[in-house]
Amino acid sequence: MASISISVMSPVQAISRQKDRSQPKPPKTASKKFKGKIKFRGGSLKTPPQTSVGGGIEATTYTRLPPKDDFSDEFSTEVKLADCEVAMLNIEDETETETETENQSSEEEIEEVEEKLDCNLGVGYRRLDIFEGVEEYDDSGEEEYDDVFDDSGKTVNIDEEEGFYEGELDVKEKGVPAVMRCFDRAKIYVKSGDGGNGVVAFRREKYVPFGGPSGGDGGRGGNVYVEVDDSMNSLLPFRNSMHFRAGRGSHGQGKMMNGAKGEDSVIKVAPGTVIREAGKSEVLLELLNPGQKALLLPGGRGGRGNASFKSGFNKVPRIAENGEEGPEMWLELELKLVADVGIVGAPNAGKSTLLSVISAAQPTIANYPFTTLLPNLGVVSFDYDSTLVVADLPGLLEGAHRGFGLGHEFLRHTERCSALVHVIDGSAEQPEFEFDAVRLELELFSPEIAEKPFVVAFNKMDLPDANEKWPLFKERLQARGIEPFCMSAVKREGTHEVICAAYELLRKHKEAKKEFEGPVDMNHVADKVHKQRSASINEFEISHDSSSSTWHVVGPGLQRFVQMTNWRYIDSEKRFQHVLEACGVYKSLMKLGVKEGDTVIVGEMEMVWHDSTKNSGQSKMKKGSEISIKWPQWK
Ligand SMILES: Nc1nc2c(ncn2[C@@H]2O[C@H](COP(=O)(O)OP(=O)(O)OP(=O)(O)O)[C@@H](O)[C@H]2O)c(=O)[nH]1
Ligand SMILES: [Mg+2]
C-alpha cells in the first residue's frame, strides 16, 4: 500500500513554513488549474512571486510650475523640490560670489535668492510653495523584519507576526499644508474573519445511554463590506486606519451548540471611490451612489463539529474541522470626482470664473496661472428642476501628460465626466494653438477622455483683443467641424448657452448609456472568492525538486482541505489519507516516480512517503477501498 506518513515538523520547520505565509500561497497565485493533469518540473522549484506590499494613504504632491507663456525646453520637465534645491544652491553660490565683499546678512541673501527665482520664472512664485514627499523608513526593530521589495523597487517591511506592512506608510508629504493635500488615493489591508473551529463532544446525560456525538460547528467568520458614506468627501480617514479585519467566528461547543458568527467589518468610502487590488489595474468595484453597499470579502466557513460527521458507518466520529481562513488582500482606493461635466483648458483661461457664474461655487479667481490647485465642484440648477454637477479642474499645459504643471494630477477626475467644457482664453496670442495644445494633452493622457463630447467656449469676449480674434477662431474651428461658443464669463454673457449645450451633451450621453447598461452587480468580488473556494479538490499540480527529493502538491481545493484539517483529532489523519487517495494524489505521485523516503508537501503539511506495496502484497486499489470503507473507525 502506498501511504504518506505525517512527520511532525520541528519548531524550526514550522516557523520557516509560517514565514512563507508572507509570500503568496501557491494555490492563490496559481493562475492555471489542472484537472487531473500533472505537470512535472525537474530541477529546483519555482519560487513564488513576491507580493507587492505597502500601504497608507497617498496624497498628491504639487510641483513647481512654469510661467504661462513659456513652453521652452528649459521648463519642459517637472521640477521637484530636489531640483529646486539644486537651483537654489546654484543661485546662492552666485549670490555669494557677487556679494562676497559686501558681507550681507544671511536673511538678506535669502531674500535675494527668492527675488532671483521669481524673476527667473516670471511669476510670483513666492505664492506657490514647493513641496516634495519625504520618504521615511522606520529603522527600529530591524531584526524583526524581512526586507521585501515591492513593484516599485522600494523596500518595505513586513511584520511577520501581525502581518502589518510598513514602509510606504511612512511616505509623507511633510511641509504640505493639510488643506492642500488631496487625499484621493489610499492603500488599505482587508481581511475577512476566519471561521470558528468545530469540536468533538459526546452527549452525556442521565437516562440517555450512548448519547452520541454532540460537537457543534464553528461560527462563520465576519464579512468585509464597503459602503458609500455620503458625508465623506475624501479618503482622509484612511490615513489613520488602514487595516480592516472582520471578527472570527466563535468555536462550536458541546450540546450541539454552534459558534456565533464573527463581526462584520464595514469600510466607509466617499462617493466616487474606485477600488482595485493593489498593484493591479483591473477595477474591482466602483462606488458612486450614497448608500451603495457591496460584499467585498466573505468570511471563512465555520469548521464542522463531530455531530456533522455522524454516519451509518461511524456513529461515534472523533473528528472536527478547523474553521476556514478568511481571505485577505491589499486594496488601492482612488477617489474620482463624480461630476457630470468637467471644465478644462489652459491656465488662466477663466475656468473658475465660469464655474462661479453658473453655480453657487466660489472658487478662487485671480489673474495668474494655476490659481486653482484642487478641483472645485459646483451644482448648476436649471429651471426645469434638473441639476448638473460641474468640476473646474486645474489648468492644463503642454506636457501635462508627462507631469508638467498640475492638470495631469486631476485629469483622471474627468474620466467620470460625461462631457467637457473646453474654455479658451480669447486674449491669448494664438487661441487656436492653445486649443490644440490642450486637446493634444487630453489625447495623450487618455484617448477615452479625448473621445468625450465637448463644448468649446471662447472666453473674455469683453476684451478687444479677444473680440478681434473670435471671427478667425470660429471660422477655423467650423472648418474642422466644431461649433464654438463665445462668452464673457466676467460679464456673464454667453455662459448660459455654453452650459445648456453641455447639458444637452450630457442628456444624450445618459440616454445612450441607459440602453447599454444593465443592472450593476456589486458583489462580484465576493462571488469570485466563493468560486475560488468551491474549487474541486481534484484540481492540483505536482512539482518536484530533485535536489531535495521534495514533491509539492498544490491546488486550491487541497490547500483549503489541509488548512481545515484539525490534526489534534485522531480520525483526521485517516480522513486525510483517504482524501489524498480519492482525489488521485497518490496515483499521480507514483506515476511520476515518488520514492520511499521522499518528502511530500501538501499545503502546509510536510510528510514522508512510504511505499509499502511490496510488503503487504495486496493490490493498492483493494487496500485503498478497504480504507475507504472502514474509515473512520472506532478505536
Ligand atoms: N476680461 C475678462 N477677464 C476674465 C474673464 N474670465 C476670466 N477673466 C479673468 O481671467 C483671470 C483668470 O481667471 P480664472 O477664472 O482664475 O482662470 P482659470 O482658468 O480658473 O485659471 P487657473 O485656475 O489658474 O487655471 C482672472 O483675473 C479673471 O478675472 C472674462 O470673461 N473677461
Ligand atoms: Mg481656476
Side-chain angles (χ1 to χ4, degrees):
M1 170 214 159
S3 70
I4 295 177
S5 76
I6 299 159
S7 64
V8 181
M9 276 192 281
S10 68
V12 179
Q13 275 175 311
I15 288 167
S16 72
R17 293 201 51 69
Q18 275 285 318
K19 275 189 174 187
D20 283 345
R21 293 179 62 179
S22 66
Q23 291 181 343
K25 289 171 190 172
K28 284 180 186 169
T29 54
S31 55
K32 234 178 171 179
K33 287 172 190 164
F34 292 83
K35 193 160 186 176
K37 191 181 156 199
I38 310 301
K39 198 174 158 190
F40 177 75
R41 292 200 207 113
S44 61
L45 280 170
K46 227 170 51 173
T47 43
Q50 295 205 320
T51 10
S52 159
V53 291
I57 194 141
E58 282 172 33
T60 306
T61 305
Y62 302 109
T63 52
R64 180 170 275 280
L65 314 165
K68 183 192 166 201
D69 294 322
D70 192 350
F71 297 99
S72 67
D73 282 341
E74 196 185 341
F75 293 105
S76 67
T77 51
E78 194 183 36
V79 186
K80 291 200 171 169
L81 182 62
D83 310 339
C84 294
E85 273 173 356
V86 175
M88 285 277 253
L89 284 177
N90 289 341
I91 296 164
E92 224 164 340
D93 285 345
E94 270 178 54
T95 323
E96 269 174 26
T97 47
E98 276 173 23
T99 57
E100 229 172 348
T101 47
E102 287 171 35
N103 274 334
Q104 277 180 335
S105 71
S106 58
E107 276 179 22
E108 282 168 350
E109 276 179 30
I110 292 166
E111 256 183 50
E112 202 171 315
V113 171
E114 281 184 353
E115 269 171 31
K116 191 141 193 173
L117 263 176
D118 282 355
C119 70
N120 272 357
L121 298 170
V123 283
Y125 276 99
R126 276 189 213 175
R127 272 178 284 189
L128 300 168
D129 291 330
I130 306 158
F131 307 109
E132 192 197 46
V134 180
E135 291 180 22
E136 281 183 353
Y137 296 109
D138 190 359
D139 291 331
S140 58
E142 252 173 45
E143 319 85 55
E144 288 169 34
Y145 299 113
D146 271 1
D147 280 349
V148 174
F149 292 89
D150 72 355
D151 289 346
S152 60
K154 276 181 194 163
T155 311
V156 292
N157 299 321
I158 298 177
D159 180 333
E160 281 160 13
E161 275 182 18
E162 295 294 325
F164 288 170
Y165 299 105
E166 295 187 0
E168 259 188 47
L169 292 185
D170 296 333
V171 179
K172 284 179 188 152
E173 288 180 318
K174 284 196 175 161
V176 183
V179 285
M180 285 181 67
R181 282 186 229 153
C182 183
F183 293 104
D184 56 1
R185 280 165 189 260
K187 208 168 189 180
I188 60 166
Y189 166 86
V190 286
K191 185 184 186 309
S192 60
D194 298 339
N197 299 342
V199 288
V200 172
F202 293 95
R203 187 178 174 194
R204 283 180 185 270
E205 210 176 304
K206 206 174 179 185
Y207 310 121
V208 187
F210 306 108
S214 66
D217 300 343
R220 152 170 286 284
N223 299 328
V224 178
Y225 294 93
V226 262
E227 190 178 14
V228 179
D229 182 356
D230 203 14
S231 63
M232 283 174 72
N233 60 4
S234 80
L235 300 179
L236 187 64
F238 296 107
R239 198 171 135 78
N240 299 326
S241 76
M242 53 175 288
H243 294 95
F244 297 87
R245 290 183 171 86
R248 85 162 291 164
S250 306
H251 301 317
Q253 291 177 38
K255 296 187 187 171
M256 304 284 272
M257 287 192 285
N258 293 342
K261 186 182 177 300
E263 205 182 316
D264 293 337
S265 168
V266 182
I267 305 168
K268 305 249 178 177
V269 294
T273 304
V274 173
I275 301 181
R276 294 187 178 82
E277 197 175 336
K280 295 190 180 162
S281 55
E282 187 202 348
V283 173
L284 294 180
L285 282 172
E286 214 169 341
L287 297 135
L288 301 176
N289 306 319
Q292 251 181 353
K293 192 173 178 179
L295 172 62
L296 190 67
L297 295 179
R301 174 170 76 77
R304 283 174 292 177
N306 70 335
S308 309
F309 286 89
K310 191 177 163 187
S311 71
F313 291 116
N314 190 356
K315 291 179 180 164
V316 273
R318 288 178 169 192
I319 188 168
E321 285 175 330
N322 283 333
E324 185 186 11
E325 275 177 7
E328 56 185 347
M329 69 203 305
W330 279 88
L331 297 175
E332 272 169 7
L333 311 184
E334 186 184 345
L335 180 60
K336 292 185 181 178
L337 295 181
V338 195
D340 301 311
V341 174
I343 307 180
V344 294
N348 221 28
K351 301 180 291 298
S352 304
T353 314
L354 174 63
L355 182 75
S356 72
V357 298
I358 57 171
S359 73
Q362 292 178 334
T364 320
I365 298 164
N367 196 15
Y368 58 85
F370 299 107
T371 318
T372 306
L373 297 173
L374 293 175
N376 299 302
L377 280 186
V379 180
V380 183
S381 307
F382 286 91
D383 303 340
Y384 31 94
D385 201 29
S386 49
T387 55
L388 187 69
V389 181
V390 182
D392 156 40
L393 298 167
L396 285 168
L397 281 179
E398 190 180 349
H401 70 283
R402 283 185 277 125
F404 192 46
L406 284 177
H408 74 290
E409 294 281 2
F410 305 100
L411 264 182
R412 57 198 154 82
H413 292 305
T414 57
E415 284 169 5
R416 281 275 175 67
C417 298
S418 308
L420 302 176
V421 172
H422 187 158
V423 179
I424 310 286
D425 183 351
S427 64
E429 279 189 17
Q430 293 165 303
E432 205 192 338
F433 169 75
E434 190 185 291
F435 169 77
D436 286 336
V438 171
R439 286 300 305 165
L440 185 68
E441 285 314 314
L442 291 175
E443 269 165 39
L444 291 172
F445 181 82
S446 155
E448 263 177 46
I449 295 177
E451 275 172 21
K452 287 186 192 293
F454 64 94
V455 177
V456 178
F458 188 89
N459 192 25
K460 307 195 182 177
M461 278 294 279
D462 53 300
L463 298 177
D465 242 18
N467 219 331
E468 270 171 34
K469 286 168 191 161
W470 164 243
L472 185 66
F473 180 81
K474 186 181 177 186
E475 198 180 299
R476 287 195 176 157
L477 256 71
Q478 276 175 341
R480 289 158 68 173
I482 304 165
E483 192 57 56
F485 288 80
C486 64
M487 64 177 190
S488 167
V490 159
K491 294 201 164 176
R492 299 177 178 238
E493 285 169 10
T495 51
H496 187 72
E497 284 76 8
V498 170
I499 207 64
C500 283
Y503 181 76
E504 190 56 28
L505 291 179
L506 178 76
R507 205 181 49 76
K508 279 184 192 159
H509 179 266
K510 278 192 176 163
E511 269 173 20
K513 216 172 148 190
K514 256 186 211 162
E515 283 172 23
F516 292 109
E517 267 185 7
V520 189
D521 170 27
M522 292 294 286
N523 294 334
H524 54 274
V525 185
D527 292 344
K528 216 163 115 183
V529 175
H530 280 307
K531 215 171 167 185
Q532 271 172 8
R533 278 183 181 168
S534 55
S536 166
I537 207 160
N538 296 331
E539 292 170 20
F540 57 87
E541 186 182 320
I542 298 179
S543 57
H544 181 219
D545 181 359
S546 49
S547 58
S548 58
S549 306
T550 307
W551 300 82
H552 286 262
V553 184
V554 176
L558 269 178
Q559 183 96 7
R560 183 169 173 262
F561 171 66
V562 173
Q563 185 263 309
M564 291 186 76
T565 303
N566 192 335
W567 302 101
R568 286 188 304 138
Y569 300 117
I570 42 173
D571 285 346
S572 296
E573 196 184 322
K574 280 185 201 164
R575 182 181 179 226
F576 182 67
Q577 296 275 2
H578 168 65
V579 169
L580 286 195
E581 188 183 11
C583 71
V585 172
Y586 284 178
K587 226 173 169 182
S588 310
L589 281 169
M590 286 189 290
K591 215 166 153 187
L592 292 169
V594 64
K595 286 195 261 345
E596 177 81 23
D598 280 2
T599 308
V600 178
I601 296 173
V602 185
E604 288 178 5
M605 285 306 295
E606 198 167 300
M607 294 154 283
V608 179
W609 178 266
H610 288 296
D611 193 353
S612 53
T613 12
K614 301 164 217 159
N615 311 338
S616 68
Q618 289 177 359
S619 93
K620 284 167 220 148
M621 288 309 292
K622 196 178 169 195
K623 190 71 182 169
S625 57
E626 266 176 30
I627 291 171
S628 59
I629 289 166
K630 283 184 181 171
W631 180 87
Q633 288 176 320
W634 171 250
K635 280 194 176 177

